């Protein structure tokens, strides 16, 4: 008796693969892609392998950084795929401190904190001028 073997699903029986990739110094340097990084991201996308990009930098919204990365890598990178140093604040800190006075240290981080919903966020420079 002959049987025909069906093509196997590469993810069948295996956990789905995903990547967390560092931006600065790994995917790009000073806003320019490192050799091979653009092609690697495009390959991940074409294979429908989920990925997020992260950095210890901040001072801008995830949507702003996603737009810059989309341009750098010639592909759509959504804000949900971008994790900045302050991203965890949105879910962990903002709900508890949204109406409290919060001192913010970092370039442009006051704007980010207020955009996240910290209504009384004050940058250290603002505080120092009072």
């Amino acid at each position: 008796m002959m049987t025909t073997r069906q093509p196997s699903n590469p993810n069948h029986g295996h956990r789905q693969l995903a990547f967390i990739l560092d931006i600065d110094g790994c995917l790009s340097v000073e806003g320019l892609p490192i050799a091979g990084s653009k092609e690697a991201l495009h390959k991940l996308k074409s294979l429908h392998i989920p990925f997020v990009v992260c950095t210890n930098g901040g001072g801008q919204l995830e949507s702003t950084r996603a737009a810059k990365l989309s341009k750098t890598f010639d592909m759509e990178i959504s804000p949900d795929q971008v994790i900045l140093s302050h991203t965890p604040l949105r879910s962990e800190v903002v709900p508890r401190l949204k109406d409290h006075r919060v001192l913010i240290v970092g370039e442009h981080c006051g704007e980010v904190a207020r955009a996240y919903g910290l209504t009384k966020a004050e940058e250290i420079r603002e505080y120092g001028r009072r």
Side-chain angles (χ1 to χ4, degrees):
M1 179 174 171
M2 284 181 69
T3 59
T4 306
R5 186 168 183 210
Q6 297 294 322
S8 63
N9 178 345
N11 291 322
H12 181 73
H14 300 284
R15 293 186 179 125
Q16 187 173 358
L17 184 63
F19 286 90
I20 300 172
L21 305 162
D22 186 23
I23 300 168
D24 300 317
C26 296
L27 292 176
S28 65
V29 173
E30 297 181 8
L32 299 173
I34 290 175
S37 63
K38 186 185 293 189
E39 295 80 5
L41 290 179
H42 282 267
K43 186 171 187 174
L44 291 175
K45 185 175 182 172
S46 72
L47 294 172
H48 305 287
I49 297 173
F51 67 90
V52 297
V53 293
C54 63
T55 182
N56 60 355
Q60 59 190 309
L61 292 172
E62 291 78 4
S63 57
T64 303
R65 190 67 186 261
K68 290 176 184 176
L69 291 167
S70 295
K71 186 175 179 181
T72 298
F73 294 105
D74 296 324
M75 64 185 298
E76 180 64 31
I77 296 178
S78 77
D80 291 337
Q81 289 177 275
V82 178
I83 301 170
L84 304 175
S85 62
H86 46 68
T87 301
L89 294 175
R90 290 186 307 184
S91 61
E92 299 300 321
V93 175
V94 172
R96 290 183 287 137
L97 300 177
K98 65 181 181 172
D99 296 319
H100 289 76
R101 189 169 173 213
V102 180
L103 181 63
I104 304 294
V105 179
E107 191 78 25
H108 307 292
C109 290
E111 297 168 26
V112 172
R114 287 185 286 276
Y116 282 177
L118 291 172
T119 59
K120 296 180 183 176
E122 187 172 7
E123 288 187 10
I124 196 151
R125 289 181 196 160
E126 298 166 337
Y127 179 77
R129 284 189 285 239
R130 292 203 287 125

